[in-house]
Amino acid sequence: MQYRRFGKTNLHLSVFSLGTMRYLADAENVQQTINKAIAQGINHIETARGYGKSEEYLGKVIKSGLSVPRSQLYITTKIPPTADADSMRRYIHESLERLNTDYLDCLGIHGLNTWEHLELVQAKGGCMKAVAEAITDGRVRHVGFSSHGALELIQAAINTDLFEFVNLHYYYFFQRNAPAIQLATEKDMGVFIISPADKGGKLYTPPETLKDLCQPFSPLELNYRFLLSDQRITTLSVGPANPEELTEPLKVADSISELTSAENLIFERLEIHQKTVLETDKCSQCYACLPCPEKIHIPEVLRLRNLAVAYDMTDYGQYRYGMFENAGHWFPGMKANRCTECGDCLPLCPEKLDIPALLADAHNRLNGKAGRRLWG
């Protein structure tokens, strides 16, 4: 296991962090998963107030005794922004009680997904007052934020200078947030990548087309290498439901060097294949088509279509597309069948894509079972 400095927190975190969103309701399984993670060198566990009973399960393990001193295990929990300081005070107290710990190494403001959320953390006397109090008395040591929001919002949150780290979506198949990583690095903030296996493409169950294109590597391994080779990134979350699911990701826990020529060749192959298959229907993700009058997240819909058509990543596309209209501010946007063919987006597209036709095709390919947040 390799370790990197988590920005200005000056904590040195393992390059893989144990995420706890998929814990099963089985205390023994949780204990075994945490013990195996620690034995493999993971020194950072991330949970959240919103992850079901995750804090409580982790707290039971802490109470029964960790396999390392508490001072050698860094714990992050996440709490949503609140409209007032009293609510945040109560939430911090409740998280500490559930976790059976006197302090949090890191507190993440969970889900700064809208401009209204950003206003909450900037309000004088609001939730950040309670966070500042907790930092002063030692109950919280470092504070950051997570976001599923727009790039511009993430950059604005970074520029408040209120935070020491950021949790972001960023993967080989979704590089929109690259400027946020660069800005965070310039601010000396730690960078934590959220769910690279799952949100990054359901890469633990890749389609045959993608597997063939990635040979002799696996798609999951390549995505991890894409991220670990970037020195600006501190740590990646791995969210096992049981100890066995730690094995595959941690095979690359020491592979943090620059991408090899063989790996770069595979990434080039993937790009060429996508261009060849999509031809003139490829959306380049410039986001010039927004805003849509019907609130369709056109670039994200077309990104999912790109992946489904080019790499047969239809299962992943259906999984993410099903979140539209079902996950609130965590995955905003209407489904593509809401398109009225108003034509507003057409002159904005530098590639002159027939966006209404592509939206209709995407909906036909991807519409299926409605999705929701895992813990929702």
Side-chain angles (χ1 to χ4, degrees):
M1 181 65 67
Q2 298 295 309
Y3 302 84
R4 285 177 173 166
R5 176 178 170 272
F6 197 36
K8 66 184 73 173
T9 72
N10 284 318
L11 303 177
H12 282 78
L13 303 187
S14 47
V15 294
F16 281 96
S17 293
L18 183 67
T20 61
M21 194 168 73
R22 297 176 63 230
Y23 274 172
L24 301 179
D26 179 338
E28 184 177 353
N29 177 70
V30 172
Q31 178 91 50
Q32 291 173 351
T33 302
I34 291 175
N35 286 343
K36 181 171 181 178
I38 292 173
Q40 295 294 313
I42 288 177
N43 69 353
H44 178 224
I45 300 180
E46 189 215 35
T47 183
R49 175 182 176 84
Y51 290 175
K53 292 187 176 181
S54 173
E55 286 184 332
E56 182 181 331
Y57 293 149
L58 176 54
K60 288 179 179 178
V61 175
I62 292 172
K63 187 174 183 179
S64 65
L66 295 164
S67 55
V68 295
R70 168 67 179 88
S71 60
Q72 294 179 21
L73 185 67
Y74 303 119
I75 294 174
T76 295
T77 198
K78 303 194 296 295
I79 296 173
T82 63
D84 59 274
D86 285 343
S87 294
M88 181 59 73
R89 289 188 190 101
R90 184 173 74 256
Y91 290 167
I92 292 172
H93 175 74
E94 290 171 353
S95 287
L96 289 169
E97 283 204 325
R98 282 193 291 264
L99 288 164
N100 282 302
T101 187
D102 296 329
Y103 68 95
L104 298 169
D105 297 280
C106 297
L107 171 65
I109 304 301
H110 195 189
L112 288 190
N113 299 335
T114 70
W115 293 102
E116 290 76 17
H117 292 152
L118 186 58
E119 289 174 6
L120 290 179
V121 300
Q122 291 181 292
K124 291 185 178 179
C127 60
M128 295 304 287
K129 179 182 179 183
V131 172
E133 292 168 357
I135 290 172
T136 298
D137 64 28
R139 288 174 296 137
V140 170
R141 297 190 172 175
H142 305 285
V143 62
F145 74 96
S146 70
S147 180
H148 298 232
L151 170 62
E152 296 77 13
L153 173 66
I154 295 168
Q155 291 172 310
I158 291 171
N159 277 323
T160 64
D161 293 323
L162 292 170
F163 304 107
E164 297 170 273
F165 64 90
V166 58
N167 297 13
L168 286 176
H169 290 286
Y170 175 75
Y171 325 105
Y172 174 70
F173 290 119
F174 178 74
Q175 299 182 37
R176 171 69 176 170
N177 287 333
I181 289 180
Q182 181 56 36
L183 180 60
T185 301
E186 291 167 5
K187 297 278 190 178
D188 195 24
M189 293 172 66
V191 176
F192 181 114
I193 300 301
I194 303 167
S195 190
D198 185 64
K199 307 301 189 300
K202 290 190 76 173
L203 299 177
Y204 42 81
T205 54
E208 290 300 319
T209 299
L210 186 59
K211 286 198 288 187
D212 290 344
L213 286 166
C214 292
Q215 289 292 340
F217 308 102
S218 73
L220 182 61
E221 178 184 6
L222 277 173
N223 190 47
Y224 284 144
R225 284 287 295 124
F226 172 78
L227 297 169
L228 291 173
S229 66
D230 190 334
Q231 298 298 314
R232 302 170 303 173
I233 294 170
T234 308
T235 187
L236 320 177
S237 72
V238 55
N242 54 62
E244 291 70 34
E245 290 186 4
L246 282 167
T247 302
E248 194 65 26
L250 297 191
K251 286 180 180 178
V252 295
D254 287 323
S255 302
I256 65 171
S257 59
E258 291 184 2
L259 292 172
T260 65
S261 58
E263 289 166 339
N264 278 319
L265 190 63
I266 301 302
F267 287 125
E268 290 174 16
R269 181 193 298 171
L270 288 167
E271 288 297 309
I272 291 169
H273 181 81
Q274 186 184 66
K275 289 177 182 177
T276 301
V277 173
L278 288 166
E279 297 180 322
T280 57
D281 285 345
K282 180 180 181 291
C283 172
S284 66
Q285 300 289 286
C286 69
Y287 279 56
C289 54
L290 295 181
C292 167
E294 301 304 321
K295 295 184 169 55
I296 299 167
H297 193 333
I298 297 171
E300 181 63 8
V301 172
L302 296 189
R303 180 182 78 92
L304 298 175
R305 182 187 180 277
N306 283 353
L307 298 178
V309 173
Y311 307 123
D312 291 336
M313 293 172 67
T314 303
D315 184 49
Y316 169 69
Q318 290 175 342
Y319 157 53
R320 298 305 285 167
Y321 188 77
M323 304 288 282
F324 286 125
E325 304 182 27
N326 290 290
H329 59 76
W330 295 94
F331 202 78
M334 307 304 286
K335 290 190 174 181
N337 63 334
R338 304 279 186 168
C339 177
T340 63
E341 300 188 29
C342 69
D344 284 8
C345 56
L346 295 176
L348 301 175
C349 178
E351 288 137 336
K352 305 305 177 186
L353 297 177
D354 186 350
I355 292 174
L358 294 177
L359 290 177
D361 181 73
H363 184 76
N364 289 335
R365 290 174 183 273
L366 305 177
N367 192 45
K369 185 179 178 181
R372 61 173 186 170
R373 292 157 62 214
L374 184 60
W375 65 92

